[in-house]
Amino acid sequence: SGTPQHGALQVFDQNGNFVTVFQDGHFLDSPWDLTLVDLGSTAVVFVSNVLSGTVTRLKLNVGSKNVTIASKTQIASGYLTAPNSAAVVVGPTGLAYDVSRDILYVASTDDNEIFAIHEAGTRTTPVDKGSVVFSDPNKLHGPLGLMLTPSGHLIKIGRASCRERV
């Protein structure tokens, strides 16, 4: 497999025009997936970092011509990471955020589990992975992406299908 390098987040406006790039060797060391809460003039972005096995929360100020980071907080760590010939590296990836319950769900491919980070929008210190909400080696097979339906079901994207109510 290739050698993973540090990454960045690129921001584009509603017309597809480049606005800015966010780089940070600690909080955005290896962005692999993200989920966003658009609040109009502000936004919250949760980012999984696959090399360090962490999850970061960014609070953004959104203007008509610019986007700036108001704060950066690591909210979780401890996810397993490993080189992988098919995906370059595996670790925490899929993210789904339940705004009404303030819970961020994390699909951790190498842990082969789905975790819940409670108080994800407000916490000031990182948890060690969060609480396991689903672990089944016969159904997960290295979860990648996640989606939360309006009815509260998590849909896992990966090798095998899995749908569980949390």
Side-chain angles (χ1 to χ4, degrees), residues 6-142:
H6 289 284
L9 296 181
Q10 295 179 346
V11 179
F12 297 86
D13 69 14
Q14 67 273 16
N15 299 312
N17 299 310
F18 176 78
V19 175
T20 191
V21 63
F22 298 136
Q23 293 180 300
D24 186 302
H26 177 70
F27 292 100
L28 298 172
D29 72 342
S30 51
W32 210 242
D33 198 1
L34 64 80
T35 190
L36 175 116
V37 181
D38 184 348
L39 302 168
S41 62
T42 63
V44 178
V45 181
F46 297 98
V47 181
S48 61
N49 292 291
V50 73
L51 293 178
S52 61
T54 62
V55 175
T56 296
R57 180 187 64 231
L58 303 175
K59 291 190 176 181
L60 306 178
N61 293 320
V62 181
S64 60
K65 297 188 191 279
N66 65 354
V67 178
T68 59
I69 297 175
S71 68
K72 303 177 250 187
T73 307
Q74 185 182 96
I75 63 168
S77 63
Y79 301 101
L80 295 178
T81 65
N84 181 279
S85 60
V88 181
V89 65
V90 293
T93 179
L95 302 175
Y97 184 59
D98 184 335
V99 175
S100 64
R101 296 170 56 200
D102 193 18
I103 299 173
L104 180 69
Y105 296 97
V106 180
S108 184
T109 308
D110 203 38
D111 287 294
N112 201 38
E113 295 177 314
I114 298 174
F115 296 90
I117 302 171
H118 295 269
E119 300 172 339
T122 58
R123 78 172 30 263
T124 58
T125 58
V127 296
D128 183 19
K129 297 183 185 180
S131 305
V132 175
V133 294
F134 195 78
S135 178
D136 185 335
N138 296 318
K139 292 182 180 177
L140 283 181
H141 302 291

